[in-house]
Amino acid sequence: AGITNPDDVAALEKLGLTVYAVGVPADMEGVFAGITAIGQVTGKSDQAEKIVAGLRARLDALSAKVAQAQPKPKVFYEIDDTDPTKPWTSGPGSFTDALITLAGGQSIGASGTSQYFQMSLEEIVNQDPDVIIFSHGGYSGRTKEEVLALKDTDANVREILASQNPLENLHRYAKAVLEKDEEQRPLAGKIAWL
């Protein structure tokens, strides 16, 4: 299921363990379905229902706040930079795209034709993202420190990454959008690391 290696499942089953693999969700409903299924498998359906109800309430509150938020920042989410001239990103129908939209952003990867694809640096520059998120899910060829070091060696990155704590800048920007705080919107830092 999803990204679970079938060999790992077979090895666990060979040890006599019961294995239940949850697929990769495409949206929050998929997350809720996975929580519900795990609750059923483990005999904890009541707790799973409470978790899902709590998450739904938080999600509804967030959706109400970001529905009217303007501007909707354009976001580039880098998954893998093993080819630095064409990094991998998430496209339409992906969980990442759903989360960026849910948070009030516009994924520039939504212009792609598949859930995960490579986008040229020229296309990224042409799309002019307001926020760039580097994800290090074990696929990236760069460490967090290497990305942050770009601010010392690349003038363009130095302009974008004007903070020692880029994630804090993303948080401040998101909070400013949610609270409609005009003074905090034009932040210098536009890169985040997850």
Side-chain angles (χ1 to χ4, degrees):
I3 60 173
T4 303
N5 184 330
D7 294 337
D8 293 340
V9 172
L12 291 169
E13 288 173 336
K14 195 173 188 179
L15 293 171
L17 299 172
T18 301
V19 178
Y20 181 80
V22 178
V24 177
D27 55 23
M28 289 306 295
E29 288 304 318
V31 171
F32 299 152
I35 292 169
T36 301
I38 290 170
Q40 291 170 345
V41 168
T42 60
K44 304 287 184 184
S45 292
D46 289 345
Q47 286 99 331
E49 288 175 22
K50 287 178 186 172
I51 291 170
V52 169
L55 288 172
R56 278 190 196 281
R58 291 171 62 190
L59 183 62
D60 290 345
L62 175 64
S63 295
K65 284 184 178 182
V66 300
Q68 303 304 318
Q70 293 295 329
K72 297 200 181 295
K74 293 191 292 183
V75 179
F76 174 70
Y77 186 88
E78 180 184 283
I79 297 170
D80 176 351
D81 69 339
T82 50
D83 178 352
T85 64
K86 290 184 77 176
W88 285 85
T89 191
S90 52
S94 69
F95 186 66
T96 305
D97 181 57
L99 287 181
I100 290 170
T101 302
L102 177 66
Q106 302 173 30
S107 172
I108 67 169
S111 64
T113 58
S114 61
Q115 287 188 344
Y116 302 97
F117 68 100
Q118 289 179 277
M119 183 179 272
S120 71
L121 293 180
E122 292 81 11
E123 179 61 19
I124 296 167
V125 169
N126 288 338
Q127 292 273 353
D128 192 25
D130 299 305
V131 177
I132 300 171
I133 302 173
F134 293 99
S135 171
H136 184 62
Y139 307 109
S140 176
R142 293 184 294 197
T143 65
K144 173 182 178 180
E145 291 73 21
E146 289 170 326
V147 172
L148 292 174
L150 291 173
K151 71 180 169 50
D152 298 324
T153 59
D154 185 309
N156 294 323
V157 172
R158 210 171 21 252
E159 181 182 333
I160 295 170
L161 185 61
S163 169
Q164 287 291 80
N165 190 343
L167 188 56
E168 181 179 306
N169 273 355
L170 176 64
H171 179 265
R172 284 185 13 227
Y173 182 85
K175 185 176 178 187
V177 169
L178 289 174
E179 295 176 357
K180 298 183 180 180
D181 184 342
E182 299 296 329
E183 291 180 23
Q184 287 294 315
R185 282 192 187 167
L187 298 174
K190 299 187 330 188
I191 294 182
W193 177 274
L194 295 179

